């Protein structure tokens, strides 16, 4: 549905203060996908999303949406193509002196293709779609942040777009409202066969609803993968830092400085991180491996979360026993869980020294 080819965006081109906001970006987004772009402030996220509907023109490269090269169109042709690309914003951008009805009807009136009754029918349908039928006569000042964003979404859908762009659309909302907006977007994707692009600095947003994600840093895409792979196996340092804000990996800081009693007299000890995914998150892995190997397995820390509704668990365990059996226990873990990482291994070293 969306293809960016060799995109560069340079501000103040040819001057001493030239800024390269995007550097050789190539990216494909599939039809019906919810695609996320995440990065730190100033990484180029907002510039990237504004290139998709050519609110910003690339210095070089092509922007192709639904097999149409937008960069090759005249202004009149571009305006027509933009009807198929809706956009919602962080600060809602509603007309403060207009009612909810008039805010949604505004682009339809500008377009001039529908009569008054047809506009009313369309607005009522959109209000029902976003759950605001009872707010039709209210003004933006009378609405909560989540309700304002729902009006913004309804307005963005007025032109029957194929693509919906979300520029930090949940950044101004509290966590509960953010969750409800994300559920609405997922629902709209199914009902309207939308392709949705979400620009965000909130890793929670990525975790809850995005199919694939691109990590952007310094104007370049440094990592691109399925959301589950990004969370379970991040490769770049920035991605690891972003993921760690939501999913705590490794040994908790408190345990690093806590000496755990050495209750065995011989053998070895391993500290192992286990990553569970899907149905395996509920399996009795610890009990099964302990029975199979005779090792003593203690849980040091653990948590279960969800990525796109799929269970995702992390557990750090201490495995104590005969050296050979510990290796067998680790092999058994590898068979039963998504990923195994040995954080420390020794024959006598206290945990605090690992």
């Amino acid at each position: 549905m969306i293809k960016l080819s060799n995109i560069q965006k340079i501000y103040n081109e040819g001057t001493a203060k030239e800024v390269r906001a995007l550097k050789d970006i190539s990216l494909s987004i599939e039809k019906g996908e919810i695609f996320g772009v995440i990065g730190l402030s100033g990484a180029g996220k907002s510039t990237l999303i504004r290139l998709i509907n050519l609110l910003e023109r690339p210095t070089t490269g092509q922007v192709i949406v639904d097999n149409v090269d937008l960069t090759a169109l005249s202004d009149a042709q571009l305006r027509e193509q933009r009807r198929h690309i809706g956009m919602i914003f962080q600060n809602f951008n509603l007309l403060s002196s207009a009612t909810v009805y008039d805010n949604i009807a505004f682009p339809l009136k500008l377009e001039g293709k529908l009569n008054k009754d047809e506009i009313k029918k369309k607005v009522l349908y959109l209000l029902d779609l976003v759950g605001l039928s009872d707010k039709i006569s209210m003004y933006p000042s009378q609405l909560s942040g989540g309700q304002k964003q729902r009006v913004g979404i309804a307005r963005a859908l007025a032109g029957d777009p194929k693509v919906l762009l979300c520029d930090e659309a949940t950044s101004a909302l509290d966590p509960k409202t953010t969750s409800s907006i994300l559920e609405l977007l997922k629902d709209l994707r199914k009902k309207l066969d939308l392709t949705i692009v979400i620009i965000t600095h909130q890793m929670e947003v990525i975790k809850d609803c995005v199919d694939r994600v691109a990590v952007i840093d310094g104007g370049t895409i440094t990592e691109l993968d399925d959301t589950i792979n990004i969370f379970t196996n991040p490769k770049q340092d920035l991605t690891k830092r972003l993921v760690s804000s939501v999913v705590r990996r490794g040994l908790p800081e408190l345990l690093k400085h806590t000496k755990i009693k050495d209750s065995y007299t011989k053998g070895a000890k391993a500290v192992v991180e286990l990553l569970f995914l899907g149905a395996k998150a509920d399996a009795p892995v610890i009990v099964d491996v302990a029975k199979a190997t005779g090792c003593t397995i203690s849980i040091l820390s653990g948590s279960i979360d969800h990525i796109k509704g799929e269970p995702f668990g992390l557990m750090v365990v201490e495995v104590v026993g005969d050296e050979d059996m510990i290796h067998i226990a680790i092999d058994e873990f590898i068979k039963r869980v998504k990923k195994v990482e040995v954080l420390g291994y020794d024959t006598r070293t206290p945990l605090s020294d690992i």
Side-chain angles (χ1 to χ4, degrees):
M1 178 58 74
I2 300 169
K3 185 176 181 180
L4 307 180
S5 298
N6 306 117
I7 293 292
Q8 295 204 55
K9 178 61 180 179
I10 303 172
Y11 292 101
N12 299 321
E13 186 178 9
T15 70
K17 294 183 179 180
E18 183 176 279
V19 176
R20 294 181 177 269
L22 295 175
K23 306 168 187 175
D24 198 26
I25 298 285
S26 291
L27 183 66
S28 293
I29 299 172
E30 301 302 320
K31 185 177 186 295
E33 202 173 21
I34 299 182
F35 189 90
V37 180
I38 192 164
L40 304 178
S41 296
K45 303 187 301 296
S46 291
T47 300
L48 178 61
I49 199 171
R50 290 167 68 87
L51 283 168
I52 295 175
N53 58 5
L54 256 62
L55 288 178
E56 294 277 2
R57 281 192 171 270
T59 305
T60 61
Q62 286 181 303
V63 179
I64 300 171
V65 179
D66 198 20
N67 296 316
V68 176
D69 184 355
L70 301 188
T71 49
L73 299 181
S74 66
D75 289 344
Q77 291 170 325
L78 180 59
R79 283 195 295 272
E80 178 61 25
Q81 287 300 316
R82 280 186 179 142
R83 291 182 58 249
H84 306 299
I85 306 173
M87 191 165 188
I88 58 176
F89 304 88
Q90 177 180 355
N91 295 318
F92 320 126
N93 288 9
L94 301 180
L95 302 170
S96 60
S97 59
T99 63
V100 166
Y101 178 94
D102 289 330
N103 265 283
I104 299 171
F106 184 68
L108 296 172
K109 292 176 180 177
L110 281 181
E111 191 177 29
K113 293 184 178 181
L114 301 179
N115 62 40
K116 187 175 180 181
D117 289 339
E118 289 171 328
I119 289 175
K120 182 177 181 180
K121 182 179 179 180
K122 186 68 173 287
V123 172
L124 292 177
Y125 164 73
L126 292 170
L127 282 171
D128 181 62
L129 202 60
V130 300
L132 288 181
S133 296
D134 59 335
K135 309 296 182 186
I136 188 168
S137 299
M138 289 189 173
Y139 289 86
S141 61
Q142 298 172 295
L143 302 176
S144 67
Q147 290 167 341
K148 290 176 184 177
Q149 194 57 282
R150 286 172 182 264
V151 175
I153 293 171
R155 182 185 57 191
L157 297 175
D160 299 318
K162 298 177 181 179
V163 172
L164 183 62
L165 307 178
C166 308
D167 188 6
E168 297 280 9
T170 60
S171 295
L173 306 176
D174 61 78
K176 184 177 179 180
T177 306
T178 293
S179 180
S180 72
I181 293 297
L182 296 179
E183 286 301 318
L184 174 61
L185 291 175
K186 287 188 284 187
D187 186 48
L188 292 172
R189 185 258 295 263
K190 291 179 182 178
K191 289 181 177 178
L192 305 178
D193 195 24
L194 288 170
T195 301
I196 300 177
V197 182
I198 296 178
I199 299 294
T200 184
H201 65 270
Q202 298 171 293
M203 209 63 189
E204 283 283 0
V205 171
I206 299 297
K207 178 173 73 72
D208 287 346
C209 76
V210 167
D211 299 315
R212 285 193 304 143
V213 57
V215 180
I216 188 168
D217 185 26
T220 63
I221 292 176
T222 57
E223 193 159 352
L224 191 158
D225 209 335
D226 292 342
T227 299
I228 286 177
N229 290 336
I230 287 288
F231 276 88
T232 59
N233 192 29
K235 294 179 175 60
Q236 302 298 321
D237 288 341
L238 174 59
T239 311
K240 291 175 182 178
R241 293 202 305 272
L242 291 169
V243 168
S244 69
S245 68
V246 177
V247 178
R248 302 299 296 270
R249 300 293 300 271
L251 198 62
E253 194 66 27
L254 180 63
L255 288 177
K256 290 180 181 179
H257 305 290
T258 301
K259 187 172 182 178
I260 297 178
K261 186 178 180 181
D262 217 349
S263 59
Y264 61 95
T265 57
K266 62 179 181 177
K269 174 193 296 183
V271 178
V272 183
E273 181 185 73
L274 309 175
L275 191 152
F276 303 78
L277 195 61
K280 291 182 179 180
D282 297 323
V285 172
I286 304 300
V287 173
D288 289 348
V289 174
K291 285 181 179 179
T293 62
C295 292
T296 300
I297 303 178
S298 304
I299 299 173
L300 302 181
S301 69
S303 65
I304 292 182
D305 208 328
H306 289 79
I307 299 176
K308 293 183 60 194
E310 186 170 9
F312 167 76
L314 276 171
M315 187 177 293
V316 178
V317 299
E318 181 188 57
V319 185
V320 175
D322 177 85
E323 289 187 52
D324 291 338
M325 295 313 294
I326 285 181
H327 289 297
I328 293 173
I330 291 171
D331 288 339
E332 289 296 320
F333 283 137
I334 290 171
K335 295 176 186 177
R336 298 164 190 259
V337 304
K338 174 73 174 178
K339 186 179 178 183
V340 176
E341 183 174 349
V342 178
L343 302 180
Y345 179 84
D346 204 84
T347 56
R348 294 294 300 170
T349 304
L351 178 62
S352 57
D353 294 336
I354 293 176

